[in-house]
Amino acid sequence: ALFSTHDLPRIRYNASDDILWRTMSWTKYWEKTTWIIPIHRPSPGGHWVMCTIDLASQRLFLFDSLAEERPWKQEIQVMTL
């Protein structure tokens, strides 16, 4: 499932479930085993990164072409269940 960048701000700013369902239900993301989420990093000289989520293995893969220039590890929290 590919999440639209138009949906992510709705989620971030607590849109109602009705609005989220209306804009996202057609993707049937809950049936997919892999989710692809574009993320805009607004840091100086903002750019886009891509997060791929493998639900079966419960792993995230983050692709950031500028990771060596602007490390992101301090921006995320790693949790194990």
Side-chain angles (χ1 to χ4, degrees):
L2 177 61
F3 288 88
S4 167
T5 56
H6 294 284
D7 296 322
L8 297 177
R10 290 182 182 115
I11 294 167
R12 181 176 182 179
Y13 296 109
N14 300 316
S16 70
D17 289 345
D18 292 338
I19 290 172
L20 293 174
W21 184 251
R22 186 172 52 249
T23 61
M24 297 175 67
S25 64
W26 66 272
T27 66
K28 297 188 180 181
Y29 67 88
W30 59 90
E31 295 178 358
K32 311 296 194 274
T33 59
T34 304
W35 296 358
I36 301 170
I37 303 173
I39 301 169
H40 185 256
R41 294 195 64 211
S43 59
H47 71 284
W48 289 90
V49 300
M50 180 184 72
C51 181
T52 303
I53 302 169
D54 180 342
L55 295 173
S57 68
Q58 298 183 352
R59 296 191 313 173
L60 300 174
F61 300 95
L62 183 69
F63 175 76
D64 183 347
S65 61
L66 300 177
E68 289 190 20
E69 295 175 26
R70 292 187 214 125
W72 48 264
K73 288 187 179 188
Q74 71 278 4
E75 296 176 16
I76 62 170
Q77 181 179 4
V78 177
M79 298 175 59
T80 57
L81 301 175

